[in-house]
Amino acid sequence: MGKLAITGGQPVRRKPLAPWPVYSLEEARAVQNVLASRNWGGYPFPNKLADAFAQKFARFHGAKYGLAVANGTVAIEIALKAVGMRPGDEVIVPAYTWEGTVGPVMLLNAVPVFVDVDPDTYCIDAKLIEKAITPKTRAILPVHLAMRFADLDAICQIARDHQLAVVEDCAHAHGGKWRKKGAGATGDLGTFSFQSSKLMTSGEGGAVITSNLECYERAQTYTNCGRASSTDKFRHRFIGHNYRMTEFQAAILEAQLRRLPVQNKMRLANMEHFEKRLGVTPGLGFLKRDARQTAVAPYQYVFKYSPEHFGAPRAAFLGALEMEGIPCDGLFYEPVYKSALFPVDAREYPALSWGRSEPIDLKTSFHCPVAERASYEEAVWLPHHIFLGSRKDTDDIAVAVLKVCENTGELRGLKHPAIERKAMSRAERPRVERRMW
Ligand SMILES: Cc1ncc(COP(=O)(O)O)c(C=O)c1O
């Protein structure tokens, strides 16, 4: 029997950490009111609560206009359509993100161009963007990942120089700020997700924000089956989807938004305490905070684990940490071009073949070493809600991490179902996953 729970010792934590999502009577009353109103859907568009929420959410982030939509994936598709994306256009995307950042590019028959991430932030490395620009490039799609922002100063400068659009994927960044401006308000448009794991949630849901009326009008038309926007100044007409949000979701999100600032403050205070407790532990590394990121949106606490230093693979570290009672992840994302959730059949995406004798092979054309190391070796992701508890809870998380680090000798060569689970990709997990999100 060893010291670690995974080898038979006592776990640091038996009691679950803070649950997610958080809700109260506010959400219950709001949903009840929608139910009684019999006005449930997104039509007529924009419906009352969805519109009120969307405008509030946009203003909260410093943008003029907001649109509440079905989820964060379609929010990206809508934003790309709003900047006038056409089949065959290229979009510069980070290699390290959720597949849902890149799927919409493909679904519009545009072409993603993967760029590696910065090892200090795990967000797109702005220094590598110019090399990826071609005459077909139409937009840059940075993701503010986990707890950091992409370098919006550099990205927007490049976009101005090359007349490109910037769509910020803010699925992790509710309440975050760059130079005191809210997430999504620096680029042409910002997109958000309210899926269950996010910093505020209605189970599913999304938002698009912008200060550009023409983009806003196009976004409305695409979201609402091609109908004219509410202002219709630019009179754009094209086929759209039904990507509207229901009034139930909007009612919940109103309450979630009211709670967000206090929750973000608490998450951040606990994460800072956690980081101090880890101190300078050899073999662990931290992401750097850029002073221009004036408010952190703490979606997940991400740090780096060195398998070489500890002599045990990351999956073993994570399996052991989970057995100590701490929810955690490693293969949270993989370089999208390598992911099983990104199968690419060139016959379905004709733009991959346009102007070429052979279609571009998105699976083999890119090699992004920082993203690959983060994905398969070093990144450790801790969900935000475990930092919504007491200081003692946070101390337990730190104690558990340090305990596993001090006893990695017990993990060498160890086989255990918890370790196997931690080595599974997101594509494989639904078979074993009990977590709701
Ligand atoms: C970075 C990123 N982009 C886009 C999305 C897509 O959001 P949704 O799941 O709401 O469609 C997500 C969320 O899962 C995400 O994490």
Side-chain angles (χ1 to χ4, degrees), residues 340-405:
L341 294 177
F342 192 70
V344 179
D345 179 339
R347 288 168 303 183
E348 289 180 40
Y349 308 103
L352 297 178
S353 309
W354 291 347
R356 304 167 196 272
S357 51
E358 290 291 320
I360 178 170
D361 184 350
L362 293 177
K363 291 276 176 200
T364 58
S365 301
F366 299 93
H367 171 53
C368 299
V370 180
E372 291 185 13
R373 179 159 170 88
S375 303
Y376 301 117
E377 289 167 60
E378 74 180 12
V380 174
W381 293 64
L382 303 180
H384 64 84
H385 64 88
I386 67 175
F387 294 98
L388 280 176
S390 63
R391 199 36 70 94
K392 161 83 171 68
D393 289 353
T394 304
D395 281 331
D396 283 349
I397 302 168
V399 167
V401 169
L402 294 172
K403 179 182 170 192
V404 179
C405 287

Side-chain angles (χ1 to χ4, degrees), residues 17 78 101 344 433:
L17 291 157
I78 294 162
T101 304
V344 179
E433 222 160 28

Side-chain angles (χ1 to χ4, degrees), residues 295-308:
V296 174
Y299 171 56
Q300 300 236 355
Y301 185 87
V302 173
F303 63 97
K304 299 179 185 182
Y305 166 85
S306 166
E308 298 83 4

Side-chain angles (χ1 to χ4, degrees), residues 69-76 94 96-102 104 141-146 169-173 191-198 203-207 299 332-333 381 426:
V69 301
N71 58 60
T73 309
V74 301
I76 294 169
Y96 191 47
T97 181
W98 175 236
E99 289 77 357
T101 304
V102 188
L141 178 38
V143 179
H144 303 313
L145 200 85
D169 179 349
C170 310
H172 300 177
T191 66
F192 292 82
S193 163
F194 305 117
Q195 177 269 343
S196 306
S197 73
K198 300 303 189 298
E204 304 288 354
Y299 171 56
F332 191 67
Y333 292 147
W381 293 64
R426 296 286 288 271

Side-chain angles (χ1 to χ4, degrees), residues 3 7 14 47 96 124 196 204 210 212 217 245 274 352 376 387 391 402 413 418:
K3 286 195 181 139
T7 49
R14 289 186 194 278
N47 210 343
Y96 191 47
I124 193 166
S196 306
E204 304 288 354
T210 183
N212 178 315
E217 287 194 353
M245 176 183 275
F274 171 72
L352 297 178
Y376 301 117
F387 294 98
R391 199 36 70 94
L402 294 172

